[in-house]
Structures are given as C-alpha cells and as structure tokens.
Amino acid sequence: EAEKQKITITDQEIEAELADYYATYGNAETLNQVLEESGSSLAKLKANLTNTLKLKKLLAPRISVTEAEIKAFFEENEEDFAQEEQVKASHILVETEKEAKALKARLEKGEDFAKLAKEFSKDPSTKEKGGALGFFGRGIMTAAFEKAAFALKPGAISDPVKTEYGFHLIKVEEKKAAEEPDFEKNKAAIKEYLFNQKLQQEYNPWLQEVSGNYKIETFLNAAG
C-alpha cells in the first residue's frame, strides 16, 4: 500500500527516530552491540522504524489531533510536565578503592570513560552501554552516589564514591535545572503521543479496508 501511494522514508527521517535510542545508549556503536546481544541488529531496527513511519504516513489522513485536545491533555497531566532537577551521568563500578583510584588515574591521562566502563565495570546493567545511566533525578540513586553526582559539573569525573555496591567513578555529562510545566515546550511531544494513540485505534479498521484490495496467502499451518 505504501508503494502504491508512493510513500518513501528518508535516511534523515530514520536518523531522527534513532535519536532517542542514541540518547539512551550513548552512540550507534553501543546501540548496535546491545541489539546484537539480544539477537537483533541496527539494520533490523532501522527496517522496523521504516515500516512504522510508513504506517504513520499511510494513516495520517485519517487522524486529526486538535489544539484543544493537546491543551486538555496538558492540563489534565500538568504535574507530569514539571521538570525536576536532573543529571545525565555514567559510572564505573569496581570492588575496591584501589581499583577505582587506578582507573581515575588512567582517565586523568586521557583514556576514554566509556571504553574503561565496558572493560572494568561490575554493573551488568550499564557495562555494555559504557556505564551510561541516562538522566535521573533526586531520590533515585543511593544517597552517597546522588550527592556526588549532583555536586559535579558537566564533564567532571568524581573521586571514588563508596556505596553498598562497591566503589564508583561518576562522570556527569549534562545537567537540567528544575522547571515549571511549560505547554509550548511539551506541545509537540503531546501531539505525537495523542497521534500514536489514535493510530492504534485506526489501524485495524484501515487494515480491514485495504486488505480487500490484495490477494493474501497464508503459509502458516495450524498448530497440530
């Protein structure tokens, strides 16, 4: 149906969709490693995103999100759009202070934080992401870790921080100050959210309509 309507997806559109993935995993290389470990690949992810974007374009003429709907959603969920103070950080977790100090010395000589995290960190949930934790607010991490992270300036790396898990080296990449709910700032994201909700509602009716235009063969046998 996309071919019939001459709908195409550009590389720029795919890269825009991948931006959130890169933000989570740090870069394309790390994302690809994580995908491969789960039996997938960056190529497969791009193919899935391409199909999703085609579907959005196919159904767009059937979907309308009004300014009033966007405003109503914002007002109903206003508290959710307040931004608390946050930091974006990465960490390397090791067992001893001696190990942490040795790694800190290597970092001070210019070695790459993410590379050392992949090699030495004992945190299985962030190790393959170069230690990336993403953004987090207060009350999420243990007290000592939180205190150190929020005290650092962007680009700075902490001295060894002791917690119940071991010793951490923390690198803060970015900080976000607390902000009151802002309609204009969140308008585009709300519109996209409401569009995707309506997309789910419209998908089956649309599929029933267009399916009649095609000969469909089923090659799957019923479970025996």
Side-chain angles (χ1 to χ4, degrees), residues 1-9 50-63 195 199 202-203 206-207 209-210 214:
E1 188 67 14
E3 288 176 3
K4 179 180 175 181
Q5 296 193 30
K6 298 181 179 179
I7 289 174
T8 57
I9 306 300
T50 298
N51 287 335
T52 299
L53 288 172
K54 285 180 180 178
L55 186 63
K56 286 184 175 183
K57 289 187 178 184
L58 282 166
L59 270 69
R62 302 169 66 107
I63 298 172
F195 177 92
L199 180 71
E202 287 291 331
Y203 177 71
W206 170 82
L207 188 61
E209 291 175 20
V210 298
Y214 298 91

Side-chain angles (χ1 to χ4, degrees), residues 7-214:
I7 289 174
T8 57
I9 306 300
T10 67
D11 290 341
Q12 289 81 2
E13 288 175 301
I14 294 298
E15 286 302 316
E17 291 294 313
L18 284 171
D20 288 340
Y21 290 89
Y22 294 150
T24 300
Y25 292 98
N27 55 49
E29 180 185 358
T30 303
L31 172 60
N32 206 23
Q33 285 180 349
V34 173
L35 289 169
E36 287 178 355
E37 288 169 5
S38 63
S40 187
S41 67
L42 192 58
K44 290 179 181 178
L45 176 59
K46 287 182 177 181
N48 288 337
L49 290 173
T50 298
N51 287 335
T52 299
L53 288 172
K54 285 180 180 178
L55 186 63
K56 286 184 175 183
K57 289 187 178 184
L58 282 166
L59 270 69
R62 302 169 66 107
I63 298 172
S64 173
V65 179
T66 67
E67 183 83 6
E69 288 175 311
I70 298 171
K71 188 71 173 177
F73 184 89
F74 175 80
E75 290 174 351
E76 290 169 9
N77 301 277
E78 193 165 352
E79 290 183 3
D80 295 334
F81 294 103
Q83 180 178 288
E84 62 178 344
E85 183 186 8
Q86 293 183 316
V87 295
K88 182 180 182 182
S90 299
H91 81 134
I92 300 172
L93 173 65
V94 292
E95 293 179 357
T96 68
E97 186 176 15
K98 183 179 179 180
E99 291 176 278
K101 285 182 175 180
L103 289 173
K104 178 69 182 288
R106 292 176 64 171
L107 290 166
E108 288 175 342
K109 291 178 180 178
E111 291 198 47
D112 183 69
F113 192 97
K115 184 177 179 181
L116 291 179
K118 289 179 184 179
E119 187 174 353
F120 295 103
S121 184
K122 303 298 183 182
D123 180 359
S125 64
T126 64
K127 179 184 178 77
E128 294 305 320
K129 298 187 290 183
L133 294 161
F135 279 102
F136 57 88
R138 295 186 183 275
I140 304 298
M141 304 298 181
T142 58
F145 191 101
E146 176 186 295
K147 182 179 179 180
F150 278 89
L152 289 169
K153 294 180 179 180
I157 299 172
S158 72
D159 289 326
V161 177
K162 184 179 180 181
T163 71
E164 61 194 273
Y165 303 103
F167 290 85
H168 308 257
L169 292 177
I170 306 167
K171 180 180 180 180
V172 168
E173 299 161 29
E174 188 179 341
K175 284 189 171 184
K176 290 181 179 178
E179 292 181 5
E180 292 297 314
D182 186 324
F183 175 69
E184 290 300 326
K185 182 178 178 180
N186 292 284
K187 184 176 177 180
I190 295 171
K191 184 175 182 179
E192 177 73 7
Y193 176 79
L194 294 176
F195 177 92
N196 287 334
Q197 277 193 327
K198 293 188 177 186
L199 180 71
Q200 296 300 318
Q201 297 167 3
E202 287 291 331
Y203 177 71
N204 283 330
W206 170 82
L207 188 61
Q208 292 297 320
E209 291 175 20
V210 298
S211 292
N213 299 326
Y214 298 91

